[in-house]
Amino acid sequence: MDITTHVSTLELTGPSVHDARLGSNAQVPCWFTVNKPPVDLNDLTIFWHFLDKEILSYDTNVRTNSSRNSLNTEVLATGIANLTISSIQIPDGGRYKCSVIYGSEGKKKEVWLDIGAPPQVTITDKTVVLNVESVLRCSATGFFPPDIGVKWFRDGEKLVDNIFLGDPWRNQDRTYSVNSTVTITPTEEDRGRNFSCRVQHKYLWVPLKEDFHLLYEGRRSVRIVVACSVLVVVILIIIIAFDLWWKLKSRRKDIGPLTLGVIAGPPKLIDGEKVVLYCTVDNALEDLCVTWLMRRDGQDKEIQTSQIREDSEEEESLLDRSYVIKSQLMGRQYLSSLSFIPHMERHKDLTFICRVVSGQQNNEKTFCCKRIYGKPQMSSPIEITMADSSRVQFSLNLQKFYPKDINISWSWENKCGKYGLSPTAETISTRDDHLTYEATSVIQIPDYTFRVHPEMKITVEWEHESMETSQTRSLSVRDLLWHPRVGPIRFPKLEDKIKATMTCNISGYFPNLLSVNWFTKQDGNETALSMKSSNMDKTYTISNKEKKQTDNTYSCQASVTFTPLISSDQGSEIICRVEHPSEERPIERSTGPLHISECPWTLRGPFTR
């Protein structure tokens, strides 16, 4: 029987950006088409990567590194290769890559998954006192991303004065919360009016509005409480001031002069990596005041810190444009720290200042950010392609690094040792941001190398001034894109004592290191068949016809020829087992239980075995 595999032109479509709601079961879209449908699933392979790490693959079976990731195999034949992620979390957001291989043709497409959560809105403070300045508070919680807008209304009319929107803080689930306040002096007319807090966010179809009426407290009781509170505060201030004066008077006699040490910080500032600067003051007094500033072009500006909750971690509190200042007095030593995340454009040539004032003494120290380093980042996994009919090409792309100098080296190793490789091409260019660089390094490996050294490993290593240690990536035959596509076993109608040939077509693999073995299986027991063997009075003839394709991959038509017998073969199975260095496990195809018909002797005439 002549079996021909038709390889169709492959196209991938779908959005480049996709939104998903926090906690939902989301799909990352990837659709493909072939110009000669329907899709033959035996020729189809799918890979999904997240942040350059393989998370799911399909080749007749689905393999995944997490039970949260899945692929609906029932719709693959219609060209839908969507990745399903259950119970979406914020860390699931980022760059996904869908790779589809059909026959010997492969295509890739990137999809950026944005995770979002709409806010919940509550009015946390609506109690006021008639004709007394009062604060209304509206809380928006559990939203992502942090960009949010809050507006206040009274009977539908927008309030524009005395409105304050605090800095968002991050929750344990990485969503954000924020408070907005408006200060008003309520009148008698406001008793029946409708007040509203209206919140706008990317993941709200329409603005979320919370309506409420003011709650009035009695003014007399409030006055009494306020008066008592003021009296208590005045008394406390007098006590504290006297105590401070007495301590200063007694301590100034035996304490040395105030000493400000140099600002301690890392030797290198890396773009996007947290930095902590430390300012230490010795012989500190209680009236000490420490201020952090930043200076650019001779202009000083005091640093405003982000809003931090006591139960939040500092790492979580550093927003994109936030600074965190922490201070601690330990005996006569005062320690102040400034935490922030450096950015190439914002912090280059910026000077940080720690300014100290105590009584008549003042001093300051500086920390200069003359250079912000950028670490090389892999934009995608190492790209593997066929350079020509005899070479495989490996291409590494590194982006967003600074300064320009970078060292990239390739090597290959086997059991005997490690050997250097010279790049075929290497380029370094300025990125669109005009601040960082990107580099591409390419090598080509002759195809016979994979046949001679199928166990070899190819390694690329890069070194850069921004990195403490070098980074490496290693590849083996299993990382090549050209895995064998094994079709079903094809065979004619089987008749008792009539010779028959079974074929299994295998295509799209590289290198040509294919191993094909045939087995018979009966009553759960397997028996291997050799190239030409006799078994139970039958002769099995096995043939493998391999040839190179126009796309430089290989195909093979494996066949076994034998004479089936009802007496011994009815209900048994024939198994074709395919092994290749690119596959972790053998690929098997089975005929299923054989059905052998009796030969119509009277129609066929004499039969010669």
Side-chain angles (χ1 to χ4, degrees):
M1 179 179 291
D2 182 24
I3 306 297
T4 304
T5 301
H6 299 283
V7 179
S8 303
T9 301
L10 177 67
E11 292 294 336
L12 263 63
T13 59
S16 57
V17 179
H18 187 67
D19 292 338
R21 291 292 184 101
L22 180 68
S24 67
N25 294 336
Q27 290 191 344
V28 187
C30 180
W31 312 314
F32 65 94
T33 58
V34 296
N35 67 351
K36 293 183 180 179
V39 176
D40 187 347
L41 297 185
N42 292 313
D43 286 338
L44 180 65
T45 301
I46 297 170
F47 295 97
W48 274 99
H49 289 79
F50 175 54
L51 301 179
D52 302 331
K53 180 181 179 181
E54 182 181 310
I55 58 173
L56 183 142
S57 65
Y58 168 82
D59 185 0
T60 68
N61 291 302
V62 176
R63 293 186 292 271
T64 178
N65 66 345
S66 172
S67 59
R68 294 175 55 231
N69 302 327
S70 61
L71 188 74
N72 186 355
T73 58
E74 296 181 358
V75 297
L76 287 178
T78 64
I80 299 176
N82 298 346
L83 171 69
T84 300
I85 308 174
S86 62
S87 187
I88 278 283
Q89 305 299 316
I90 289 175
D92 294 326
R95 186 181 70 250
Y96 289 78
K97 181 176 289 185
C98 173
S99 302
V100 177
I101 304 171
Y102 191 63
S104 60
E105 186 176 5
K107 292 288 179 69
K108 299 178 181 179
K109 178 173 177 54
E110 289 188 354
V111 182
W112 187 273
L113 184 64
D114 278 339
I115 310 299
Q120 301 292 323
V121 179
T122 55
I123 305 301
T124 54
D125 199 346
K126 56 184 177 181
T127 303
V128 298
V129 177
L130 185 65
N131 298 324
V132 175
E133 192 175 81
S134 304
V135 177
L136 310 179
R137 180 176 287 103
C138 175
S139 297
T141 58
F143 58 90
F144 191 87
D147 297 331
I148 196 168
V150 182
K151 297 178 182 180
W152 289 89
F153 294 86
R154 177 167 49 195
D155 279 347
E157 181 179 352
K158 183 179 178 182
L159 301 176
V160 295
D161 296 326
N162 301 320
I163 294 175
F164 174 75
L165 179 63
D167 293 322
W169 68 83
R170 185 171 281 188
N171 305 311
Q172 289 186 351
D173 62 355
R174 299 198 179 189
T175 60
Y176 289 88
S177 297
V178 71
N179 287 328
S180 176
T181 61
V182 59
T183 302
I184 64 169
T185 302
T187 65
E188 190 65 37
E189 296 178 352
D190 289 327
R191 285 186 183 273
R193 289 180 172 175
N194 184 66
F195 285 79
S196 300
C197 173
R198 188 175 300 174
V199 176
Q200 293 177 304
H201 188 264
K202 176 182 177 181
Y203 281 85
L204 288 172
W205 294 107
V206 294
L208 190 60
K209 185 176 66 170
E210 187 70 18
D211 296 330
F212 64 97
H213 289 87
L214 302 179
L215 295 179
Y216 283 79
E217 281 189 348
R219 187 169 181 176
R220 181 178 178 183
S221 60
V222 172
R223 284 180 175 176
I224 295 173
V225 172
V226 171
C228 292
S229 300
V230 171
L231 180 60
V232 171
V233 170
V234 169
I235 294 173
L236 288 174
I237 290 175
I238 293 173
I239 294 173
I240 293 172
F242 180 79
D243 183 64
L244 179 61
W245 172 81
W246 180 259
K247 288 182 178 178
L248 287 175
K249 182 179 179 180
S250 61
R251 291 183 59 191
R252 285 186 188 276
K253 296 179 180 180
D254 52 21
I255 193 170
L258 178 145
T259 304
L260 175 61
V262 296
I263 297 178
K268 295 178 182 179
L269 301 186
I270 308 298
D271 184 77
E273 293 187 3
K274 175 191 166 187
V275 167
V276 183
L277 304 181
Y278 295 95
C279 182
T280 305
V281 184
D282 292 321
N283 297 328
L285 299 176
E286 280 82 351
D287 65 346
L288 181 73
C289 178
V290 178
T291 308
W292 287 89
L293 307 97
M294 48 188 171
R295 177 181 296 161
R296 189 191 297 275
D297 299 329
Q299 299 294 320
D300 291 355
K301 180 181 178 182
E302 184 176 348
I303 294 175
Q304 301 297 321
T305 63
S306 63
Q307 179 177 345
I308 311 265
R309 296 183 306 155
E310 291 186 358
D311 62 341
S312 66
E313 296 183 4
E314 180 178 321
E315 198 70 55
E316 296 294 324
S317 302
L318 283 173
L319 307 180
D320 183 50
R321 294 183 177 272
S322 295
Y323 298 89
V324 174
I325 295 176
K326 289 186 175 181
S327 300
Q328 184 178 9
L329 180 62
M330 300 175 291
R332 294 181 180 179
Q333 187 178 70
Y334 187 92
L335 178 64
S336 181
S337 66
L338 172 68
S339 304
F340 66 101
I341 297 177
H343 290 274
M344 189 80 64
E345 187 174 2
R346 294 180 57 229
H347 293 111
K348 185 179 180 183
D349 297 325
L350 187 71
T351 298
F352 288 97
I353 304 169
C354 179
R355 182 171 295 167
V356 175
V357 178
S358 178
Q360 300 299 318
Q361 303 181 73
N362 64 79
N363 200 351
E364 66 179 39
K365 295 293 183 180
T366 60
F367 184 93
C368 299
C369 306
K370 293 182 178 180
R371 173 182 282 184
I372 307 294
Y373 292 82
K375 279 189 177 181
Q377 300 178 20
M378 290 184 68
S379 60
S380 60
I382 295 174
E383 185 177 1
I384 307 172
T385 56
M386 288 283 194
D388 53 33
S389 61
S390 61
R391 290 177 297 178
V392 179
Q393 178 169 293
F394 298 83
S395 178
L396 168 72
N397 181 258
L398 299 174
Q399 296 187 354
K400 298 182 179 181
F401 60 87
Y402 183 88
K404 183 178 181 179
D405 294 335
I406 191 170
N407 180 38
I408 303 174
S409 59
W410 295 83
S411 62
W412 72 277
E413 59 181 305
N414 59 11
K415 297 178 181 178
C416 299
K418 188 174 183 178
Y419 311 91
L421 295 169
S422 299
T424 306
E426 192 166 282
T427 60
I428 301 178
S429 58
T430 306
R431 285 173 46 82
D432 293 340
D433 57 16
H434 301 294
L435 297 173
T436 59
Y437 297 89
E438 70 173 297
T440 301
S441 182
V442 178
I443 62 162
Q444 295 181 353
I445 306 295
D447 60 354
Y448 66 80
T449 308
F450 294 96
R451 294 193 297 273
V452 178
H453 306 284
E455 79 288 353
M456 79 171 181
K457 181 172 66 175
I458 298 171
T459 301
V460 60
E461 180 178 11
W462 59 94
E463 298 174 297
H464 189 259
E465 195 175 347
S466 64
M467 301 160 51
E468 295 183 4
T469 59
S470 61
Q471 293 282 321
T472 61
R473 293 292 186 274
S474 296
L475 301 165
S476 65
V477 174
R478 286 188 179 175
D479 294 297
L480 299 182
L481 301 176
W482 308 287
H483 296 215
R485 312 290 168 254
V486 183
I489 299 176
R490 308 294 180 95
F491 54 94
K493 180 180 179 182
L494 301 180
E495 295 180 332
D496 187 41
K497 300 178 182 179
I498 302 297
K499 184 179 292 186
T501 298
M502 296 184 172
T503 61
C504 183
N505 289 321
I506 309 157
S507 63
Y509 59 91
F510 178 89
N512 55 333
L513 294 170
L514 196 72
S515 173
V516 183
N517 293 288
W518 293 86
F519 299 83
T520 61
K521 185 176 181 180
Q522 194 164 28
D523 299 329
N525 298 316
E526 287 187 3
T527 303
L529 305 178
S530 60
M531 291 297 291
K532 191 166 185 178
S533 63
S534 296
N535 183 31
M536 296 178 63
D537 299 327
K538 294 191 300 298
T539 298
Y540 295 85
T541 302
I542 297 174
S543 172
N544 295 328
K545 297 179 180 179
E546 187 177 61
K547 61 180 180 179
K548 195 170 188 178
Q549 304 299 308
T550 56
D551 62 358
N552 300 318
T553 63
Y554 290 85
S555 67
C556 175
Q557 186 181 70
S559 65
V560 58
T561 302
F562 71 109
T563 302
L565 301 173
I566 290 180
S567 59
S568 59
D569 295 322
Q570 190 77 276
S572 65
E573 295 182 46
I574 300 292
I575 296 172
C576 179
R577 184 172 297 159
V578 177
E579 296 178 86
H580 190 262
S582 65
E583 294 290 339
E584 184 177 355
R585 295 182 293 273
I587 301 173
E588 287 191 359
R589 296 292 182 264
S590 170
T591 59
L594 298 179
H595 177 72
I596 304 170
S597 304
E598 291 188 3
C599 179
W601 296 100
T602 54
L603 297 178
R604 291 187 177 270
F607 173 72
T608 303
R609 185 178 176 186

